[in-house]
Amino acid sequence: YRHLESNNTKLSKSLEKLSSGVRINSAADGPAALVVSEKLRAQLGGLEQAIRNNESAVSMVQTAEGSLGEVARLLIDMRQGAVAAANEGANDEAMVEASQSEIENALAAIDRVASNTQFARRKLLDGSGSVSGTVTGAGLEFVKGSGGVIASGDKGYEVRIKQEAAKAAMTGSKGINKALLSAGEELTIMENGRTAFLKLNDSMTVEGAIQQLNSLAQKNGLEVTVSGTSDGVISVAHNKFGENHKFTVMSKTAGVLSEKENAPKSFSGLDVEGTINGEGTYGKGQMLTGLKENSTTAGLALRWTGRPGVSYDAENGTTVGAVNVEGGLQFQVGGDPGQSVAVSIADTHTTRLGRGIDNESEFLSLADIDVRDVQGAQDALIVVDQAIEEISSTRGELGAFQRNTFGSQINTLRVARENLTAAESVIRDTDMAEELARFTRNQIMVQSATAQLAQANSLPQNVVRLLASQ
């Protein structure tokens, strides 16, 4: 009977495993295996939710990028309107007014897109999903922050400058005079494939010659300014900061522009150099941007315009201020703590696009453009081009984030889920073939034990019959 009870228990356990498909139905079936299996199940549940998180994030980014595509189309239409308005020779007042009206309608449409684009109830293009920052220290400006920037807290990130940005500039060592005017001195300035050439003559004055050279440079599209002193010494300066903005000068007489006669001499500017929160940056003009591999300041862009009286430590940098950073859209892309990423979607209202562009019409942003005069149309083109560049940059960042972050993460998570499922199955699930063999054995043993119990019970009955017969 004891053996029968034992076999019945084994048969019951085997039947339970076969019917549930699970080898460990209670902690008693395998305490150590249960602990490992539960941890794997928890991790697996996190991975499955992380996959859904990434898929939802892709949908959100696609929504934002689609609206930005419409903003880009509107900006291109605005640019066409500005080009049309700049055609002063063929335009009348009504045509210019029509171009301005069309541009104003496009501006209103951009603002509507910025205000109304949302994913569920979250606004996407109104600036609520952008990284914002405030700075302390004169000469320091917050420009933008990508999603890779980590919030700094109240203390902020220290900014240290090693080198200040500078414009390419030169000053001649010899002034032009009446003798050079009479001799037909030749002056040449070249910048970005454009050239301003002036041959002097004795009908000019020294001051007039310098002014004429500057006018030629402006007319021919050179990004330089030419000035001079009362004794005829010429100075040339590029209008933009950075080593990418350069120019070349040449003069017939040594020292007027070039150091040697008829020998071109090139001049380059300097890019700002420094660190943010002790992490590396790259400089472009006055713009200081955190490297993409930085752990806290990747993509954080600041502008250092300089401050009178500051001397810079070229090796360790000089502290010029701090920046407090907050905001951005955070996404949980993994199943464990700390496995999150961030992306920033800038405010695309017209008052926030095309800002900080020097122009004679003093347009502060895209919202201010007015093409009803020729200069306004020319300046509008500059501002619209800047806005197009900003929108294109944002779209590029979102596209790269979608493909390289979310897309790659989804693929990685799916592989991890497959492997974890297999590992958990090995520990927890029933080996059906083995369990069926065990079940068949236990079934035979129960039947055998039952038969033997019946045989054992029949022996006393034989004794009773024997006694009764006596």
Side-chain angles (χ1 to χ4, degrees):
Y1 179 75
R2 177 171 58 82
H3 284 296
L4 176 62
E5 285 296 309
S6 174
N7 289 331
N8 270 325
T9 300
K10 292 177 181 179
L11 181 64
S12 176
K13 281 289 184 182
S14 183
L15 188 61
E16 180 184 29
K17 293 175 182 178
L18 287 171
S19 60
S20 66
V22 178
R23 183 172 67 87
I24 302 174
N25 290 281
S26 66
D29 293 336
L34 178 71
V35 171
V36 176
S37 175
E38 286 298 308
K39 288 182 178 180
L40 289 176
R41 281 190 172 185
Q43 188 176 0
L44 188 58
L47 287 178
E48 291 173 346
Q49 184 58 52
I51 291 173
R52 290 192 289 271
N53 286 358
N54 280 273
E55 291 171 343
S56 177
V58 167
S59 298
M60 194 210 75
V61 169
Q62 287 175 335
T63 301
E65 201 276 325
S67 294
L68 288 173
E70 178 61 18
V71 172
R73 185 192 67 80
L74 290 167
L75 288 172
I76 292 173
D77 290 345
M78 289 174 58
R79 194 180 193 282
Q80 290 176 331
V83 171
N87 191 26
E88 180 187 19
N91 289 340
D92 57 26
E93 185 176 346
M95 296 169 67
V96 174
E97 284 289 346
S99 295
Q100 178 63 24
S101 177
E102 184 178 352
I103 287 174
E104 289 175 355
N105 286 333
L107 291 172
I110 291 174
D111 283 334
R112 281 195 301 273
V113 172
S115 299
N116 297 336
T117 299
Q118 60 187 62
F119 185 79
R121 294 186 177 182
R122 175 178 284 280
K123 300 285 186 180
L124 300 181
L125 304 181
D126 65 346
S128 59
S130 64
V131 174
S132 60
T134 56
V135 298
T136 56
L140 192 62
E141 299 175 8
F142 173 82
V143 178
K144 67 175 183 177
S146 69
V149 180
I150 304 300
S152 63
D154 296 335
K155 185 178 179 180
Y157 294 144
E158 181 187 41
V159 180
R160 301 178 72 87
I161 300 297
K162 299 179 181 180
Q163 174 181 281
E164 186 175 305
K167 299 177 180 179
M170 62 78 55
T171 299
S173 59
K174 181 177 181 179
I176 56 176
N177 49 39
K178 290 183 179 181
L180 291 177
L181 293 174
S182 300
E185 175 65 31
E186 295 177 354
L187 307 175
T188 304
I189 304 175
M190 294 171 284
E191 188 270 333
N192 197 25
R194 303 178 180 90
T195 302
F197 172 77
L198 179 64
K199 184 173 182 178
L200 307 183
N201 57 67
D202 53 12
S203 66
M204 299 177 178
T205 63
V206 172
E207 182 180 349
I210 296 174
Q211 291 178 352
Q212 190 171 343
L213 182 60
N214 183 61
S215 298
L216 276 173
Q218 304 304 315
K219 181 180 179 181
N220 294 346
L222 279 71
E223 290 282 348
V224 299
T225 299
V226 182
S227 59
T229 62
S230 58
D231 55 359
V233 176
I234 300 175
S235 296
V236 182
H238 204 287
N239 298 334
K240 296 181 179 179
F241 289 89
E243 64 180 25
N244 288 335
H245 302 294
K246 57 188 69 176
F247 62 82
T248 302
V249 297
M250 184 174 66
S251 58
K252 190 175 180 181
T253 302
V256 176
L257 286 180
S258 54
E259 294 179 356
K260 300 179 181 179
E261 60 180 67
N262 294 321
K265 173 71 173 179
S266 297
F267 297 86
S268 300
L270 295 175
D271 292 321
V272 66
E273 295 180 3
T275 61
I276 307 175
N277 196 35
E279 296 179 331
T281 63
Y282 69 89
K284 185 177 181 181
Q286 294 180 314
M287 196 80 71
L288 198 64
T289 306
L291 300 176
K292 63 181 180 180
E293 57 266 23
N294 290 353
S295 59
T296 59
T297 62
L300 176 60
L302 306 175
R303 179 179 288 109
W304 173 245
T305 59
R307 187 190 309 159
V310 176
S311 57
Y312 302 101
D313 183 340
E315 183 176 354
N316 300 314
T318 301
T319 301
V320 297
V323 56
N324 292 75
V325 184
E326 58 184 15
L329 298 174
Q330 298 287 330
F331 298 95
Q332 180 69 24
V333 295
D336 296 315
Q339 295 180 347
S340 61
V341 296
V343 66
S344 175
I345 305 178
D347 189 347
T348 56
H349 284 94
T350 54
T351 55
R352 306 297 299 177
L353 295 174
R355 300 182 60 178
I357 302 300
D358 293 333
N359 60 91
E360 294 185 17
S361 301
E362 298 183 353
F363 297 147
L364 299 180
S365 67
L366 186 67
D368 296 333
I369 63 174
D370 190 329
V371 299
R372 284 174 287 195
D373 61 74
V374 177
Q375 186 60 50
Q378 297 292 337
D379 291 336
L381 286 173
I382 301 173
V383 175
V384 172
D385 283 344
Q386 176 64 22
I388 291 174
E389 183 178 342
E390 292 170 359
I391 293 298
S392 299
S393 177
T394 301
R395 293 180 69 188
E397 289 177 5
L398 290 178
F401 204 77
Q402 177 183 333
R403 185 175 70 175
N404 299 330
T405 300
F406 294 137
S408 176
Q409 187 71 7
I410 288 173
N411 293 334
T412 301
L413 289 173
R414 284 173 176 167
V415 172
R417 178 180 63 179
E418 180 181 341
N419 293 330
L420 277 177
T421 301
E424 197 269 343
S425 176
V426 169
I427 296 173
R428 194 90 175 225
D429 292 344
T430 300
D431 184 333
M432 299 300 289
E434 180 183 356
E435 199 59 45
L436 277 170
R438 189 177 291 114
F439 173 77
T440 302
R441 178 185 180 281
N442 290 334
Q443 201 173 31
I444 293 172
M445 293 303 297
V446 167
Q447 292 173 356
S448 175
T450 301
Q452 298 312 311
L453 181 61
Q455 184 66 30
N457 286 336
S458 69
L459 291 177
Q461 296 298 326
N462 292 334
V463 174
V464 170
R465 284 195 296 271
L466 178 63
L467 291 175
S469 64
Q470 298 298 324

